[in-house]
Structures are given as C-alpha cells and as structure tokens.
Amino acid sequence: MEPIVNRKADGDDLVNEWKALFGTLPQASMEDYVGKYLSKLLPDEPQLLEKRRDLKDRTERMQRAELLLTLETIIACDGNMNEMARALFIHRNTAAYRIEKLEKVLGLPLRQTDNLLRLKLAFLFREMLNSRR
C-alpha cells in the first residue's frame, strides 16, 4: 500500500515549495533531522536484519511499519483522527490507540500542530533523500 503522504493531491504546491526551499540543505542535515524524529519507527539496517530473525523481532518490525504508515496518514489528514481512520480502514478507537502509542514512542503530542509540522518536514526530507539515492 502506498503511503497516503506520498500521493500527490491536485494543487499541492506546498510540498513543491518546500522542496525548492530546502533543496539546498546538506544531505547530512536532512539525515540528522529524519533520524531525530523518525528513527524509532524506521526499519533496521540490512546487516542487523541478518542477525535478528526471530518471531519477536519480525513482529516488532511489522508494528513499527504499521505505526509509520499511521503517522504518515495522520499527517496527511492534518491531524484529523476520523479522516485518518477512514483512510486506513480502521475503527476510530483503533486510530486513537495508535496515536497514543505513537505519542509514547516518539515522545511528542501529535495533537499539537508544531509537532505535526516537524514530522511532515521529516517525511519530506526522507522523500528528498530517497530521491537523491
């Protein structure tokens, strides 16, 4: 499933403006920013995956991937939990539980727009870094 954040909406000029604005940032700065906000949810390095193949680790990786998708979706829905639940085809209570879990993992209240903006920038930088590779 393609993350909802990566889907291009008609008239979504903001992302293009940000790419133009931040396009000259050094790669290391973007990597640091992404790491600061998303490292707890991103997949492990391939060499670590070789060593960790038991069921508990696979379950943990699946949960992180699910939380990462949830985070991308809540940001794309501008923090609207009902819209996020519809987009992910989950019950509103499940959405609330995932948001609580994300807040604990990230240490950020997701109901604050400043934090949503920080995370949106982290996803933008991640996308820009991936397109450079």
Side-chain angles (χ1 to χ4, degrees):
M1 177 177 186
E2 180 185 10
I4 196 165
V5 169
N6 293 337
R7 296 182 192 153
K8 304 299 178 209
D10 293 334
D12 189 14
D13 295 326
L14 181 62
V15 172
N16 292 329
E17 288 178 31
W18 283 1
K19 284 182 179 181
L21 182 65
F22 297 119
T24 58
L25 263 167
Q27 184 170 338
S29 296
M30 284 194 267
E31 288 171 350
D32 290 345
Y33 196 87
V34 170
K36 178 179 180 178
Y37 290 105
L38 299 179
S39 64
K40 294 176 182 172
L41 299 175
L42 294 176
D44 290 326
E45 297 296 322
Q47 58 269 27
L48 293 176
L49 294 178
E50 295 293 323
K51 298 175 184 174
R52 299 171 44 185
R53 292 191 181 264
D54 64 354
L55 182 60
K56 181 181 175 191
D57 290 325
R58 281 185 281 165
T59 303
E60 179 186 316
R61 285 193 306 274
M62 287 173 39
Q63 288 173 345
R64 284 190 300 182
E66 185 176 78
L67 287 175
L68 187 65
L69 177 62
T70 300
L71 183 59
E72 286 179 300
T73 308
I74 191 73
I75 291 168
C77 295
D78 296 323
N80 185 319
M81 184 170 43
N82 290 328
E83 189 178 331
M84 180 200 79
R86 280 191 298 274
L88 292 174
F89 303 102
I90 59 176
H91 191 274
R92 186 183 186 288
N93 292 346
T94 303
Y97 171 76
R98 287 188 190 176
I99 289 172
E100 273 184 44
K101 193 165 184 173
L102 278 165
E103 289 176 335
K104 286 179 185 174
V105 168
L106 298 173
L108 296 170
L110 297 180
R111 288 166 183 83
Q112 294 179 358
T113 54
D114 291 352
N115 291 330
L116 291 175
L117 178 59
R118 286 181 182 99
L119 293 164
K120 188 167 189 142
L121 279 174
F123 280 112
L124 174 72
F125 290 163
R126 183 173 175 233
E127 180 183 326
M128 290 171 69
L129 289 167
N130 288 338
S131 69
R132 289 181 181 182
R133 291 180 183 146

